[in-house]
Amino acid sequence: MGRILDIESGDEDEAVLVPPSNFSMVEEAIFRSSFPQPSNFPFLQTLNLRSIIYLCPEPYPHENLEFLQSNNIRLFQFGIEGKKENSSPVRTHSIMEALKVLIDVRNHPVLIHCKQGKHRTGCLVGCLRKLQNWCLSSVFEEYQRFAGAKSRIMDLTFIETFDILILRQCLYSIIYQYQGYGSKKRRLLYKDESLQKPGLTSF
């Protein structure tokens, strides 16, 4: 957390930058958290977000929408039910669509969140890790670190059985490669799907 400095007086303002609970960096320009509250807005501004991936079916609060609009942040909503009995086909489709948004660097920096930043967010991050070829034990450890005592076996099973072939199809539908043209600057290039499909090396 940081403090806001009052330049004119030289004193620190009492306001502090408060991140949402369960906030963490997943990768460079990819973040995760619980549902952001108005008290978290000043902190979120420091991330220079381009996009938010929201994994709940409930409408986004008006105050949050105003914050997104005023900061030119795009909202991608994927209405995944939070119940444990959530059907696998529905969740698989939603996670796949969310992954397509997540791996597209044009949407970065991006924040992923659900309500608590545990289960639905954990499933999406877990599937991203499989895409990055993490070993399953490391994927589970990360999920459980955020879920804590509320870790769900069904979520772990979903991550474990999420089809890597479907993940590859997701990549093939958004074929791209990085082309450097300056210090830390990247340009997204799309190629015809008939060309050789490049391997994923980084996001």
Side-chain angles (χ1 to χ4, degrees), residues 49-110:
L49 295 174
R50 286 185 182 176
S51 310
I52 282 182
I53 295 177
Y54 173 46
L55 300 175
C56 302
E58 294 80 11
Y60 220 52
H62 180 69
E63 192 169 12
N64 290 62
L65 287 174
E66 286 188 335
F67 170 75
L68 299 190
Q69 184 176 8
S70 63
N71 289 274
N72 198 28
I73 299 171
R74 186 174 181 185
L75 177 66
F76 295 90
Q77 181 171 2
F78 302 92
I80 301 174
E81 295 290 342
K83 298 178 181 179
K84 298 179 183 179
E85 62 269 22
N86 196 31
S87 62
S88 180
V90 172
R91 178 177 286 196
T92 297
H93 174 76
S94 297
I95 291 293
M96 178 56 55
E97 292 305 306
L99 274 171
K100 290 179 181 180
V101 173
L102 184 59
I103 65 176
D104 190 336
V105 295
R106 296 173 301 177
N107 298 320
H108 295 177
V110 57

Side-chain angles (χ1 to χ4, degrees), residues 52-168:
I52 282 182
I53 295 177
Y54 173 46
L55 300 175
C56 302
E58 294 80 11
Y60 220 52
H62 180 69
E63 192 169 12
N64 290 62
L65 287 174
E66 286 188 335
F67 170 75
L68 299 190
Q69 184 176 8
S70 63
N71 289 274
N72 198 28
I73 299 171
R74 186 174 181 185
L75 177 66
F76 295 90
Q77 181 171 2
F78 302 92
I80 301 174
E81 295 290 342
K83 298 178 181 179
K84 298 179 183 179
E85 62 269 22
N86 196 31
S87 62
S88 180
V90 172
R91 178 177 286 196
T92 297
H93 174 76
S94 297
I95 291 293
M96 178 56 55
E97 292 305 306
L99 274 171
K100 290 179 181 180
V101 173
L102 184 59
I103 65 176
D104 190 336
V105 295
R106 296 173 301 177
N107 298 320
H108 295 177
V110 57
L111 173 69
I112 311 162
H113 78 81
C114 48
K115 287 186 178 179
Q116 302 299 324
K118 296 179 179 180
H119 305 113
R120 285 165 282 196
T121 298
C123 284
L124 179 57
V125 172
C127 291
L128 173 67
R129 297 311 192 191
K130 288 188 70 175
L131 186 60
Q132 296 175 307
N133 293 320
W134 279 34
C135 67
L136 202 56
S137 61
S138 296
V139 175
F140 285 178
E141 188 279 330
E142 182 178 42
Y143 169 90
Q144 292 167 334
R145 177 155 41 91
F146 287 91
K150 294 186 177 181
S151 176
R152 293 176 178 172
I153 295 297
M154 189 171 186
D155 286 344
L156 297 176
T157 301
F158 173 82
I159 295 171
E160 181 177 8
T161 58
F162 196 82
D163 193 347
I164 191 67
L165 294 178
I166 298 178
L167 289 172
R168 288 172 181 165

